[in-house]
Amino acid sequence: MMKPIRVLQWGLGAMGGGMARLMLEKPGIQIVAAVDGRPDYVGKDLGAVLGVGKQLGVTVTNQPEAVLKKENVDIVILATTSWTKEQMPNLRQVIMAGINCISIAEEMSDPEAQNPELAKELDDLAKQHCVSVLGTGVNPGFVLDLLVVTLSGGCHSVERIEASRVNDLSPYGPTVMKTQGVGTTPEAFKAGVADGSIVGHVGFPESIHMISAALGLGVDRIEQSREPIISKVHRETPHVVVEPGMVAGCAHIGIGYRGDKEVIKLVHPQQIHPHLENQDTGDYINIYGKPEIHMAIKPEIAGGIATMGIAVNMIPHVVAASAGLKRMIDLPTPAALMGESAYRRNV
Ligand code: NAD
């Protein structure tokens, strides 16, 4: 049997906790350390924090320097924030300890898109310390970028791409409701977009930059728009109530242009309980080229489950990768890690 890959899980929230539980099912992966800042987690056994009904012999710490030892850890999974800039101190610390890293921060899926100087710093630092760093997740990282790129694999030419992800926000917590403007009035939504408190989806510049780079579409400008999805009916989740006339979600569009030509259009309407107005969820990719390709996945690929899955499934590929900052288009395609051969695809 292969030697398990030793993982430090940093961030034990909805995603990080789920990844940790998933890793416990994988014989090729061993969790050797866990970091989180929450006072109610620090000092507890990871098994108790995850609620798996057994001790795991790993104590959660808020002192990453105590556990970032390359003799003991092959890779760190960071599940703490959406923003590259905010994560930089942690990323520097992991890389300078000589340890590989996967981040699910949306902006880390292609940091060159919005933070080219930070992307260069990460790439240089990773090469200097002989480690690899990857940003991934369901979206950005998979549905509206890697899947699009992969589907174009048999095309002779591509004129234009339009892809959309219609999803249900109901399972998410208060932070997501706030950043999507759910439960506000249309006026408050407009004000929130203007002052930056309502952001909609994080990841369009990254996805568009990645698709354009992979195909050579030459996108030189990206524009985004965010409109309120106004509910006609009463909708409710444990965290928010939406009455008719109020905002149930955010219809966010990102467009990549080459000169005046629209070459990539990504559409992501996100709302709570879309079925209450007969809206099905789904992922749709349309490639206009030779040949024309239309793909529909209904319902949507479940976001939380798939984020945990992709981050964990990429672990062996990041450990085996050459040094530097990587995007999903740079590494072997993700596949469920079900047996030994899955761990050895780029060794
Ligand atoms: P969450 O709020 O449930 O969990 C975050 C956890 O990280 C918390 O337990 C918090 O205490 C801990 N934390 C934050 N900063 C820390 C730090 N510096 N040191 C130690 N612990 C720290 O969030 P979540 O739902 O697990 O998501 C995590 C991030 O991943 C979010 O920003 C989310 O937007 C992003 N995300 C990306 C994708 C994608 O497709 N790329 C998908 C899902 C989530």
Side-chain angles (χ1 to χ4, degrees):
M1 191 56 193
M2 64 197 154
K3 215 169 111 211
I5 298 171
R6 299 162 304 171
V7 177
L8 185 165
Q9 177 62 46
W10 188 334
L12 294 168
M15 292 301 110
M19 288 170 200
R21 280 186 283 272
L22 173 59
M23 287 189 270
L24 296 176
E25 296 170 15
K26 304 284 173 194
I29 295 176
Q30 184 191 0
I31 304 175
V32 293
V35 174
D36 199 293
R38 278 181 58 161
D40 52 333
Y41 289 180
V42 174
K44 290 215 172 105
D45 186 83
L46 180 62
V49 169
L50 299 178
V52 292
K54 61 175 176 188
Q55 296 269 313
L56 296 172
V58 171
T59 305
V60 178
T61 177
N62 58 358
Q63 307 288 316
E65 58 282 1
V67 283
L68 281 169
K69 308 279 181 217
K70 70 173 176 189
E71 309 76 52
N72 307 329
V73 179
D74 299 307
I75 187 164
V76 170
I77 316 293
L78 271 168
T80 55
T81 175
S82 300
W83 320 105
T84 300
K85 203 170 162 193
E86 194 178 310
Q87 202 163 62
M88 277 307 284
N90 301 157
L91 288 160
R92 288 190 190 103
Q93 206 179 350
V94 174
I95 297 170
M96 288 161 81
I99 304 174
N100 300 295
C101 186
I102 291 175
S103 164
I104 62 160
E106 286 89 336
E107 286 190 346
M108 275 297 291
S109 62
D110 190 350
E112 199 182 65
Q114 299 201 80
N115 300 290
E117 61 304 319
L118 298 183
K120 171 140 185 15
E121 181 190 334
L122 287 170
D123 191 46
D124 289 346
L125 207 58
K127 285 177 176 152
Q128 202 183 320
H129 292 274
C130 295
V131 297
S132 41
V133 179
L134 171 74
T136 192
V138 72
N139 191 44
F142 190 59
V143 176
L144 290 181
D145 37 52
L146 185 68
L147 262 188
V148 175
V149 169
T150 307
L151 268 187
S152 82
C155 291
H156 293 202
S157 61
V158 171
E159 273 283 298
R160 183 169 72 79
I161 289 165
E162 184 166 337
S164 62
R165 176 161 167 82
V166 181
N167 72 338
D168 184 355
L169 288 179
S170 312
Y172 296 101
T175 310
V176 172
M177 296 305 143
K178 246 167 84 189
T179 56
Q180 297 280 348
V182 180
T184 60
T185 61
E187 296 71 34
F189 182 95
K190 286 212 163 67
V193 169
D195 71 21
S197 57
I198 294 177
V199 294
H201 171 59
V202 180
F204 277 147
E206 290 73 18
S207 291
I208 291 171
H209 193 259
M210 221 185 312
I211 296 169
S212 176
L215 275 72
L217 288 175
V219 167
D220 51 30
R221 178 167 56 95
I222 294 170
E223 283 182 10
Q224 300 188 64
S225 65
R226 298 163 183 87
E227 294 296 331
I229 298 172
I230 297 168
S231 193
K232 292 194 182 70
V233 297
H234 174 91
R235 308 188 195 189
E236 195 174 327
T237 79
H239 301 288
V240 70
V241 175
V242 173
E243 299 298 352
M246 285 169 68
V247 176
C250 176
H252 194 164
I253 297 178
I255 300 179
Y257 295 89
R258 182 182 61 240
D260 291 340
K261 194 173 155 34
E262 178 184 308
V263 286
I264 302 170
K265 182 175 185 181
L266 303 181
V267 179
H268 199 4
Q270 306 198 73
Q271 61 193 295
I272 59 164
H273 297 312
H275 65 280
L276 293 176
E277 292 195 34
N278 300 318
Q279 172 70 64
D280 290 337
T281 67
D283 299 313
Y284 310 92
I285 297 176
N286 299 290
I287 299 179
Y288 298 94
K290 184 184 174 187
E292 203 171 293
I293 296 174
H294 302 283
M295 187 204 72
I297 299 172
K298 286 175 77 173
E300 57 159 325
I301 295 180
I305 293 176
T307 295
M308 298 165 202
I310 289 169
V312 171
N313 291 333
M314 289 308 289
I315 288 172
H317 309 320
V318 175
V319 170
S322 60
L325 177 64
K326 309 290 177 185
R327 303 158 297 178
M328 287 300 277
I329 56 173
D330 303 319
L331 294 179
T333 45
L337 287 179
M338 298 305 295
E340 211 165 325
S341 64
Y343 288 78
R344 307 196 177 285
R345 287 174 46 217
N346 66 351
V347 180

